Amino acid sequence: MLIVGDDPWARAGLAAALGEESGLEVVGQLSSLAEWWVYQPDVVLWEVGEDSADLEALEPPVLVLVESESQAAAWLAHGARGVLLRDSEPEMLTAAIRALARGLVVIAPELTELTLKPQGNDLEAEPPLEPFTERELEVLRLLALGLSNKAIARRLEISERTTKFHVASILSKLGVHSRTEAVVRAARLGLVML
């Protein structure tokens, strides 16, 4: 695991808390994501401030520690595979990191309402504006598994650019703005199983 954050004391504290009893290996600590690839981590733990970045470009899943629901929503929209509150217990962090390393998506229990609550009058999900192509359904199913665009492209043997095109089309057809909203709406429509 690679720990990223502006505050060196916070990074050191996280490394100590997670490295001692958890059995997790901390391969490095950085103040930014600029050179994450040097460490080849399985998971990136990011203790962020107000910075923003497109996390979909990263190969390892990113667990972001946030202070609020609005930060959590923003980071999920930017490609984070997990969000926990900054004051989460070390056991919760350890479990989340292990889950991300196994390909799961992690959202703190306190934040699940944020991502799962209906938006507006979405209690009875309306069908998509246009029907999905077979390829879009394949991409949607892989989105539901929490895969990044790069991982979807590899799995389907298509380019990352084509994957981004399909994801944008899926979001548009479902009338949503984020990957998380797309998965939730697709699940309500019975297009994917969670």
Side-chain angles (χ1 to χ4, degrees):
M1 158 192 44
L2 174 65
I3 298 175
V4 179
D6 294 337
D7 183 352
W9 294 105
R11 289 194 315 263
L14 284 167
L18 295 171
E20 288 176 0
E21 300 175 17
S22 67
L24 298 174
E25 180 185 0
V26 177
V27 296
Q29 299 177 36
L30 294 173
S31 60
S32 75
L33 288 170
E35 296 181 358
W36 67 268
W37 66 87
V38 172
Y39 295 93
Q40 299 181 354
D42 292 331
V43 174
V44 173
L45 174 61
W46 196 3
E47 206 265 343
V48 297
E50 294 299 318
D51 297 337
S52 65
D54 182 12
L55 303 180
E56 288 182 21
L58 291 178
E59 179 62 29
V62 179
L63 173 63
V64 180
L65 300 180
V66 298
E67 293 180 346
S68 67
E69 286 185 359
S70 61
Q71 274 188 333
W75 284 110
L76 287 170
H78 279 92
R81 296 279 306 281
V83 288
L84 290 181
L85 296 173
R86 281 189 176 171
D87 60 359
S88 295
E89 296 292 324
E91 297 81 17
M92 175 79 81
L93 287 171
T94 300
I97 291 164
R98 287 193 171 124
L100 285 174
R102 290 183 174 90
L104 299 174
V105 174
V106 176
I107 300 173
E110 303 87 353
L111 301 172
T112 54
E113 282 297 310
L114 165 76
T115 58
L116 299 178
K117 67 183 174 190
Q119 303 295 318
N121 289 333
D122 199 354
L123 290 174
E124 294 180 20
E126 295 178 23
L129 301 173
E130 297 176 45
F132 290 105
T133 65
E134 283 301 313
R135 181 61 86 180
E136 287 169 341
L137 287 172
E138 289 176 313
V139 171
L140 182 57
R141 288 182 192 110
L142 295 174
L143 276 177
L145 293 175
L147 297 181
S148 67
N149 285 352
K150 186 180 254 183
I152 292 170
R154 256 195 238 126
R155 179 91 54 105
L156 297 177
E157 297 179 349
I158 59 177
S159 73
E160 199 171 338
R161 185 177 188 144
T162 301
T163 302
K164 287 181 182 183
F165 173 80
H166 288 309
V167 170
S169 179
I170 290 166
L171 297 180
S172 174
K173 287 181 179 183
L174 289 172
V176 296
H177 301 288
S178 74
R179 297 162 72 95
T180 304
E181 289 175 318
V183 171
V184 170
R185 180 108 193 258
R188 286 190 186 129
L189 291 168
L191 298 171
V192 296
M193 297 293 290
L194 298 179

